[in-house]
Amino acid sequence: MSIRTLARLGVLPAATAAVALSLVQPAGAHVTATPSTAAAGSYSIVTFSVGHGCEGSPTRRLEIQLPESVLSATPTRHPLYDVEVVRDELDEPLTDSHGNEVTERVGSIVYTARTPLPEGQRDAFELSFQVPDTEGEVLAFPTVQTCQKGETGWTQVPADGQDPDELESPAPSFEVLPAEGGGHGAAAEPAADADDTDSDDDPVADDADDDGSSALGWAGLVAGLLGLAAGGLALARTRTTT
């Protein structure tokens, strides 16, 4: 169907309007969190994305608050920001996943822009930490975006049964999934049977390979002899004819 036909049917104007709408929508985008993995007990790198400023004003500061179940986090260096790790004293000492007693936790990570992030440009910030071993928990990271003019608090957490899409300024969040490989986020190990089957130490596999190779070798030899015989017979017939 040609562009001229689409224009007659009114499809082209509709498609143009849809494209225009998609270009406008990012202005209302939220600060989002995308984990590399969300399995309970696993180590994850979570990327927080900022898609716009505060009603047109450039972003100069971002504070990411960690949920209480996350005791520690390591920020990735960012050449355009100064990074500060804010620690909070615990009311009572806790034991981490390695059996160590801890008396403080990382409460938030603060990124301060050396040059404000212009409106219309996006940026991403990475945090590395161990996902709590609490399957089904929704980890929320209330985030405060401070701009040259104004401030936006992405801090709303849905109540039980509430649709997150109903929130005006939802906090970046994701759900903790079941642990992989039997717990603590360990990756599943390859099946032993599969490894043994491919192993060079398997006598059955070696014998099968040898038998197959021998059969192919004999078949090639027979085919070669038959080819020579056929060639000789054809040559003899040619000489007799001449």
Side-chain angles (χ1 to χ4, degrees):
M1 187 177 293
S2 66
I3 295 178
R4 182 175 301 175
T5 304
L6 289 173
R8 290 175 181 174
L9 296 177
V11 176
L12 188 59
T16 304
V19 172
L21 181 59
S22 67
L23 293 176
V24 173
Q25 283 179 339
H30 304 319
V31 174
T32 59
T34 306
S36 58
T37 178
S42 65
Y43 287 90
S44 178
I45 296 177
V46 179
T47 302
F48 295 84
S49 299
V50 177
H52 61 85
C54 307
E55 298 183 355
S57 179
T59 301
R60 64 178 183 83
R61 186 177 185 270
L62 196 74
E63 180 182 3
I64 303 173
Q65 302 171 11
L66 273 62
E68 292 185 359
S69 55
V70 176
L71 296 179
S72 180
T74 302
T76 299
R77 290 184 61 185
H78 199 305
L80 300 178
Y81 296 79
D82 293 324
V83 185
E84 179 187 4
V85 178
V86 180
R87 302 181 182 277
D88 298 335
E89 292 289 335
L90 296 174
D91 294 334
E92 296 181 2
L94 296 176
T95 302
D96 63 15
S97 60
H98 301 288
N100 301 317
E101 183 180 87
V102 293
T103 58
E104 62 179 17
R105 60 178 292 271
V106 176
S108 62
I109 307 292
V110 179
Y111 292 86
T112 302
R114 296 171 182 172
T115 301
L117 174 65
E119 170 68 12
Q121 297 183 16
R122 63 180 302 276
D123 214 334
F125 309 84
E126 292 182 344
L127 297 183
S128 173
F129 60 88
Q130 185 175 17
V131 179
D133 197 7
T134 51
E135 176 184 336
E137 178 186 1
V138 175
L139 295 181
F141 298 78
T143 300
V144 178
Q145 179 184 7
T146 304
C147 301
Q148 287 184 324
K149 294 182 179 180
E151 182 178 277
T152 302
W154 306 99
T155 58
Q156 296 179 338
V157 178
D160 293 339
Q162 183 180 11
D163 185 355
D165 293 336
E166 297 177 354
L167 301 177
E168 182 177 354
S169 301
S173 63
F174 64 88
E175 181 177 355
V176 179
L177 302 179
E180 302 172 358
H184 297 292
E189 296 181 358
D193 293 342
D195 289 344
D196 292 344
T197 302
D198 296 334
S199 174
D200 294 337
D201 297 333
D202 189 343
V204 177
D206 292 342
D207 292 343
D209 292 341
D210 292 342
D211 291 343
S213 300
S214 299
L216 290 175
W218 282 110
L221 179 60
V222 171
L225 292 175
L226 290 176
L228 290 174
L233 181 59
L235 179 61
R237 287 180 178 177
T238 302
R239 290 178 176 177
T240 302
T241 304
T242 56

